[in-house]
Amino acid sequence: MRIMVIGGGGREHAIIKKLKENPAAETIYALPGNGGIAADAVCVDIGAKDIPAIVRFADEHDIDYAVVAPDDPLVLGCVDALEDIGVPCFGPRKSAAIIEGSKVFSKNLMKKYGIPTAAYEVFDDPAEALKYLDTAPIPTVVKADGLALGKGVTVAMTREEARGSVKEIMEDRKFGDSGSRVVIEEYLEGPEVSVLSFTDGETIVPMVSSMDHKRALDGDKGPNTGGMGTVAPNPFYTEAVAEECMERIFLPTIRAMKAEGREFRGCLYFGLMVTKDGPKVIEYNCRFGDPETQVVLPLLESDLLTVMRAVTEGRLKDCPVTFRKGAACCVVLASAGYPGSYGKGYEISIPENVLPHVFVAGAALRDGKLVTSGGRVLGVTATADILSDAVCGAYALADTVAFENRFCRRDIGQRALSAQ
Ligand code: AMP
Ligand code: GLY
């Protein structure tokens, strides 16, 4: 089989390594991939948002199957365009990817179908939003409607901060058209849990739960990032919580999407908060999470390609999906300065025996050598029978990887360990 994976980060590297375990995956192309992914796939210099070029490539190279991993191409209709030329895909069509592409859509969906989430108001006029903020309960949360590179959410601890965020989103258009509407919602408290799921629109199979660490610095301090590390499973996702989620959130969501004529096939990601009133949805993503995938897929026992094709073909009900019992931890190594400005082009050294544990996110090849090219450079994942061993293992492996200005959090997994 000739497989094409759209995207070029650590998540895509984890997907590609897992797909490769199936001998039927003869050739894997990554569009665009990156310098590290190049060790496991044929990288092609086509951007993940360049849908006409992606379609042309698929056509010219007789691609048998495509995995569309990032949010942008999914929301732009990459799956629809590939299906139009007969390429089966893993990932939702545009009509279903809107569950991530528009927060107003997803909030209204949850309200209509009684799915637990934070109470909210929607505004398309900045003056109305600012007036509402005069009396809104504080803290409050301001969200741009559309995609904003994960930066469109402000948890405002003061009225002033909330007003500033509305102005940035709606008046300064910091995120372009994504800011033509805002959602202002109730502030919720509780531990956060990420649950990725496989769904073909009828059947939903949650994967092992995980916990992201979004802030840049130890102790959950500093600015928000794309994720500095993850652990799986998440100890706050108890069996009782899992049952409640299946009944009140997961099944109602896929049924709601189907009822709206927007059947979701692919990986549906539930960002949850376990509040004192039970689990509530913080956000939906229409794709695998990054860096959640880097701990979830190493624990997947089943063959990923087989499961993905069952999703695509609507046969998930008959496809066993199993995870192994242990735990996993991924430590992200970044360039100092990230998520602000940082240097690039530093050579990366990774011992040969550590390579299987490494998922490369921001690195390029220069004269055959791997050099840093992004803020988050790579993730290192270890698995073990118990979480404490996975955490120690991930740091032991990560500390063998060297590059100039290397930076990581030293407390990935500590919150999970203290909850056990
Ligand atoms: P997002 O960019 O949608 O992943 O949101 C970023 C972070 O904002 C989430 O991981 C939560 O920590 C926080 N957040 C989002 N919505 C709420 C809410 N209603 N209450 C409290 N925190 C929230
Ligand atoms: N780790 C959060 C996300 O992928 O959106």
Side-chain angles (χ1 to χ4, degrees):
M1 263 182 105
R2 299 158 73 83
I3 300 173
M4 173 170 95
V5 175
I6 311 303
R11 164 185 58 202
E12 287 76 11
H13 200 181
I15 291 172
I16 287 167
K17 282 191 176 187
K18 199 75 191 171
L19 287 173
K20 271 182 68 174
E21 290 177 7
N22 186 325
E26 280 161 324
T27 311
I28 303 183
Y29 295 99
L31 284 66
N34 66 46
I37 290 177
D40 293 291
V42 181
C43 293
V44 181
D45 190 17
I46 292 177
K49 288 198 270 187
D50 190 348
I51 293 175
I54 292 170
V55 170
R56 220 175 307 123
F57 181 86
D59 197 24
E60 285 166 2
H61 291 79
D62 292 326
I63 296 298
D64 300 303
Y65 192 64
V67 177
V68 184
D71 49 3
D72 281 312
L74 288 166
V75 170
L76 289 168
C78 189
V79 166
D80 310 55
L82 287 166
E83 283 181 351
D84 281 347
I85 61 156
V87 178
C89 295
F90 182 86
R93 294 184 182 145
K94 184 177 181 175
S95 60
I98 192 174
I99 199 165
E100 174 168 2
S102 168
K103 295 220 189 302
V104 173
F105 171 85
S106 66
K107 294 298 288 190
N108 289 345
L109 183 87
M110 287 187 271
K111 186 191 261 178
K112 181 169 170 188
Y113 291 90
I115 297 165
T117 188
Y120 69 102
E121 300 284 338
V122 176
F123 299 93
D124 57 14
D125 174 359
E128 289 290 320
L130 292 170
K131 193 165 127 219
Y132 171 78
L133 284 175
D134 286 341
T135 54
I138 297 295
T140 190
V141 183
V142 181
K143 302 184 170 183
D145 177 36
L147 296 181
L149 296 168
K151 299 190 177 102
V153 174
T154 300
V155 178
M157 303 314 283
T158 65
R159 228 168 272 288
E160 241 356 89
E161 199 185 343
R163 286 194 192 104
S165 162
V166 165
K167 285 180 187 153
E168 269 182 6
I169 294 171
M170 301 190 87
E171 290 175 354
D172 309 343
R173 289 299 174 101
K174 194 172 168 191
F175 310 110
D177 286 345
S178 288
S180 52
R181 292 187 291 184
V182 291
V183 172
I184 300 182
E185 70 176 32
E186 176 197 6
Y187 171 75
L188 298 178
E189 279 177 287
E192 287 183 54
V193 179
S194 306
V195 178
L196 284 58
S197 68
F198 291 110
T199 177
D200 61 4
E202 287 283 343
T203 303
I204 183 159
V205 180
M207 300 182 219
V208 61
S209 61
S210 53
M211 182 192 284
D212 195 0
H213 297 69
K214 287 189 175 157
R215 301 295 198 97
L217 307 175
D218 284 8
D220 292 328
K221 302 255 169 23
N224 255 318
T225 71
M228 295 301 293
T230 34
V231 292
N234 184 324
F236 295 101
Y237 190 70
T238 59
E239 226 151 271
V241 172
E243 260 172 47
E244 196 174 346
C245 285
M246 182 53 93
E247 218 167 284
R248 300 187 58 208
I249 296 175
F250 303 162
L251 283 169
T253 300
I254 61 161
R255 287 178 186 146
M257 289 297 279
K258 190 158 186 197
E260 294 292 311
R262 297 174 181 275
E263 188 178 71
F264 191 103
R265 285 189 182 188
C267 174
L268 183 53
Y269 168 128
F270 298 87
L272 305 167
M273 198 170 268
V274 185
T275 73
K276 62 176 176 16
D277 303 320
K280 295 192 178 180
V281 177
I282 290 282
E283 61 164 349
Y284 291 115
N285 291 327
C286 65
R287 51 170 176 84
F288 284 96
D290 190 339
E292 284 90 341
T293 306
Q294 292 90 310
V295 284
V296 169
L297 289 187
L299 292 173
L300 178 66
E301 215 164 33
S302 311
D303 174 58
L304 179 61
L305 181 57
T306 305
V307 178
M308 284 184 156
R309 293 183 72 194
V311 166
T312 305
E313 292 163 18
R315 299 183 283 101
L316 186 58
K317 181 163 65 68
D318 303 316
C319 178
V321 183
T322 55
F323 284 84
R324 65 182 179 94
K325 280 269 170 291
C329 173
C330 174
V331 175
V332 169
L333 302 184
S335 295
Y338 172 78
S341 59
Y342 50 84
K344 292 183 191 175
Y346 302 119
E347 202 174 314
I348 306 167
S349 100
I350 308 172
E352 194 73 29
N353 65 318
V354 178
L355 277 174
H357 300 272
V358 171
F359 302 116
V360 177
L365 285 173
R366 194 178 62 198
D367 305 326
K369 297 214 168 97
L370 200 59
V371 298
T372 67
S373 69
R376 288 190 303 163
V377 175
L378 55 85
V380 184
T381 296
T383 57
D385 290 340
I386 55 169
L387 183 60
S388 54
D389 287 348
V391 171
C392 286
Y395 276 106
L397 291 167
D399 287 340
T400 67
V401 174
F403 56 88
E404 215 171 305
N405 286 354
R406 170 189 178 284
F407 162 78
C408 67
R409 272 180 67 162
R410 300 296 327 175
D411 66 343
I412 302 302
Q414 290 312 314
R415 176 135 197 241
L417 284 170
S418 63
Q420 283 183 326

